[in-house]
Structures are given as structure tokens and as C-alpha cells.
Amino acid sequence: MPGWAGSASQKWLTRITIRDKEHDGPGMTEFFYRLAIKPMVPGGKADPANFRILESMPVRSIITNPANGAKFGAGTKKLKLRGASWAGDLTVKQVDVSTDFGASWQRTTLEKPKNKYDWQRWTATLKLPTDGYFEIWARAIDSKGAMQPHQAGFWNPQGYGGNAMHRIAVLVG
């Protein structure tokens, strides 16, 4: 199923079998491609009964330029950003960026995907008020209104569903 976890990908399709139970093949039991139903303590002992199959991939956005840790000369007042966003089998409707730890957000220019399941590219130009240290945050919102969270919820031992807002740090001056 395009836009779902790789375990549901049609690239492995060689036959179709109708079954009356969940897929129990390699990588499909316990915690693989599954998310917690009730939140669990990260690193805690996981109970397979508390997990459901990961279906549509959660919305996410990443900053691809500049790189984390980039340094810019003193007096730099504008910073050009590039990034990409994806929402599994949905579309990304909006991507925002922040330089003040999420107190305010600026909308980016979001391109249409090249195909229904492609990552959508985005760009933005940020105005910087002064020299100094800045964290740049990016968040995406999908076509159903789901927003990329500050922290990935429902921790999973395999890392699936990890779609927290992407953050990079830059230094000006």
C-alpha cells in the first residue's frame, strides 16, 4: 500500500491470499511496523498486546538546507531554507518554520508532489533579527489536519512513528 509502512509495500507482491488474521510473516510480529496503543515508558518492557499495526505513515517534514551546526557571517539578516515533507498516503497541506522555539510560525512555499506518494519540497526565507544562536524548527500538517508533534508520541522499540518536528541549530556571527 503506497504511503504505508514498507511491510505493506506492493513491491513484494507475488500473490494474493485472503486470510482471517493479521499478517504474521517475518518482521510483522511483536514490535516491527507497530505502534503502541497505550503510551509506554521509552526503553521499558514492551507488551506485544499493546501494539497495533502501523498503517498510514505519520506526517513529517525535514530541513535539508542549511545543515545542522551551520555558521554564517556576522550581520547575516536572511537565511534561505529548503526542506521536504511527506504524509504517507495523504498529502502535506502546509509546512511552517519557527526561529523562536515555536512561539510564532512562518509558512513556507510548498511545492506540489511529483506523484501522489512523493515527498513535497518546500522553501522559505527567514529574517533574522540579530546575530546569535538560532534553532530552526519545521512542522508539517497533512490533508486531514494532523500536525507533526513536538515529540514523537507512543514510543516504539523499533523507532517507527518517529515524526517529531525537525530542528537544526545555526550560528550567526
Side-chain angles (χ1 to χ4, degrees), residues 91-165:
T91 57
V92 175
K93 289 297 180 191
Q94 179 178 327
V95 176
D96 304 310
V97 291
S98 176
T99 57
D100 56 10
F101 306 98
S104 64
W105 294 92
Q106 174 185 322
R107 190 165 296 181
T108 67
T109 301
L110 182 63
E111 295 179 15
K112 292 184 186 279
K114 292 179 182 161
N115 66 63
K116 184 176 178 179
Y117 306 105
D118 190 23
W119 284 73
Q120 291 174 248
R121 287 14 177 209
W122 57 265
T123 57
T125 301
L126 290 177
K127 292 181 182 176
L128 301 174
T130 64
D131 288 1
Y133 169 84
F134 295 92
E135 278 191 19
I136 302 170
W137 294 7
R139 71 175 184 196
I141 301 170
D142 72 22
S143 52
K144 287 190 175 177
M147 184 185 313
Q148 197 172 352
H150 284 276
Q151 291 186 328
F154 300 98
W155 183 83
N156 171 285
Q158 303 296 5
Y160 298 111
N163 70 324
M165 290 179 195

Side-chain angles (χ1 to χ4, degrees), residues 57-69:
M57 296 298 286
V59 64
R60 64 193 67 222
S61 182
I62 59 171
I63 301 165
T64 59
N65 192 65
N68 185 41

Side-chain angles (χ1 to χ4, degrees), residues 2-130:
W4 286 28
S7 62
S9 179
Q10 74 284 0
K11 68 184 173 196
W12 298 311
L13 183 64
T14 57
R15 70 178 185 270
I16 296 176
T17 304
I18 306 298
R19 302 177 72 195
D20 62 354
K21 63 180 184 176
E22 281 185 0
H23 180 22
D24 57 359
M28 292 306 300
T29 56
E30 292 190 343
F31 314 113
F32 296 94
Y33 299 108
R34 294 176 178 264
L35 296 174
I37 296 165
K38 295 185 298 186
M40 60 176 288
V41 175
K45 183 167 173 39
D47 174 5
N50 184 41
F51 283 77
R52 66 174 175 80
I53 291 176
L54 172 62
E55 294 174 343
S56 181
M57 296 298 286
V59 64
R60 64 193 67 222
S61 182
I62 59 171
I63 301 165
T64 59
N65 192 65
N68 185 41
K71 295 179 181 175
F72 298 91
T76 299
K77 295 292 182 196
K78 288 186 181 179
L79 197 58
K80 291 190 180 291
L81 302 178
R82 285 193 318 262
S85 55
W86 187 58
D89 56 343
L90 302 175
T91 57
V92 175
K93 289 297 180 191
Q94 179 178 327
V95 176
D96 304 310
V97 291
S98 176
T99 57
D100 56 10
F101 306 98
S104 64
W105 294 92
Q106 174 185 322
R107 190 165 296 181
T108 67
T109 301
L110 182 63
E111 295 179 15
K112 292 184 186 279
K114 292 179 182 161
N115 66 63
K116 184 176 178 179
Y117 306 105
D118 190 23
W119 284 73
Q120 291 174 248
R121 287 14 177 209
W122 57 265
T123 57
T125 301
L126 290 177
K127 292 181 182 176
L128 301 174
T130 64

